[in-house]
Amino acid sequence: MLEWIPRGLHRGIVTTAYPRRPEEAPPGFRGRVALRGDEPASAELEAVCPTGAIRSTGGRVSLDRGRCILCSACVAADPSRFEFEPEYETAARRRGALIVNDSERAPGELRRTLAQQSRTLRRSIHVRHVDAGSDGAEEWEISALTNPFYDMQRLGLFFTLSPRHADILLVTGGVTRPMETPLLRAFEVMPHPKAVVAAGTDACSGGLATGVGGVAGGVDEVLPVDVYVPGSPPSPIALLHGLLLAAGVVTREAAA
């Protein structure tokens, strides 16, 4: 153990300073897909996306980041129109805010943050994670939140095993039919004020499982969602952004 003391003194603090200072994503990081230009496109472009995230209406193309699984099929098919952005802060408080270049999207309900609901929550916010049908990718990123680099506890965020002690319900995966009732029960026993964060593309929209009989869909098909964190899977910083957005610690949302 003593060998870690000089190593720590030599390397200094390695924990990220986010959100006090922005965390820059490395070049080439697939944070989200950006839609460039407004040139007309054929309806054949829709067939490129396996989750139906791309829509072409009257030559106008829109991109639903809540359905995007970052597979790169659209970037490969039309690199002049689609490209990856090395962006960490991808969370939004409205489902419609994840749809780029859609003039017909509904604004959606803007729910209050935990900070707006109560003055008692300051630096001790407990998070209950529920896997409602995930493929396991999001769980790897969530587990990283407790390591020394991200260290979510420095921000007053703590995981709890009981929903009765939780302020935020962090849900991953498209909600499968067998998980609907347990998810509802977890939400119902949480004390007020409380918030729900849908983490990952599957939780935001159902992802690849959309339309499958055993899957209800995204989390908002079962519960009121306060924050959507797209990505397949979202990075730990993106998850922190979503949790802090739900808590009201940060207010900046993902820009279209």
Side-chain angles (χ1 to χ4, degrees), residues 128-133 139 169-173 179 182-183 186:
R128 172 67 169 117
H129 167 230
V130 174
D131 177 355
E139 279 64 32
L169 188 63
L170 179 66
V171 187
T172 56
M179 280 301 298
L183 186 60

Side-chain angles (χ1 to χ4, degrees), residues 114 120-127 153 155-158 165-167:
L114 287 175
T120 61
L121 294 173
R122 289 291 185 269
R123 297 277 298 177
S124 183
I125 299 174
H126 287 74
V127 181
Q153 295 181 0
L155 300 171
L157 297 170
F158 305 89
H165 301 156
D167 307 297

Side-chain angles (χ1 to χ4, degrees), residues 8-95:
L9 293 173
H10 174 71
R11 297 190 62 183
I13 297 174
V14 297
T15 304
T16 175
Y18 182 85
R20 183 167 51 86
R21 290 201 303 269
E23 184 71 32
E24 298 294 331
F29 176 73
R30 297 183 177 186
R32 64 180 186 179
V33 174
L35 180 59
R36 303 299 185 192
D38 198 24
E39 297 82 5
S42 66
E44 296 177 357
L45 192 60
E46 294 184 8
V48 171
C49 181
T51 60
I54 299 173
R55 289 286 183 268
S56 179
T57 306
R60 182 184 179 86
V61 178
S62 64
L63 171 67
D64 186 351
R65 290 183 176 136
R67 291 185 176 276
C68 177
I69 58 173
L70 305 175
C71 67
S72 79
C74 59
V75 178
D78 193 347
S80 64
R81 189 185 303 272
F82 302 99
E83 67 178 2
F84 283 111
E85 283 185 330
E87 179 63 51
Y88 280 138
E89 293 187 336
T90 57
R93 295 178 60 201
R94 292 186 183 92
R95 177 66 179 87

Side-chain angles (χ1 to χ4, degrees), residues 86-144:
E87 179 63 51
Y88 280 138
E89 293 187 336
T90 57
R93 295 178 60 201
R94 292 186 183 92
R95 177 66 179 87
L98 299 179
I99 305 176
V100 183
N101 202 24
D102 185 1
S103 59
E104 299 179 358
R105 70 184 180 194
E109 179 186 5
L110 184 60
R111 298 175 57 80
R112 294 188 301 164
T113 65
L114 287 175
Q116 293 170 325
Q117 295 180 59
S118 172
R119 294 183 178 181
T120 61
L121 294 173
R122 289 291 185 269
R123 297 277 298 177
S124 183
I125 299 174
H126 287 74
V127 181
R128 172 67 169 117
H129 167 230
V130 174
D131 177 355
S134 169
D135 60 3
E138 286 81 9
E139 279 64 32
W140 281 103
E141 305 302 307
I142 289 172
S143 66

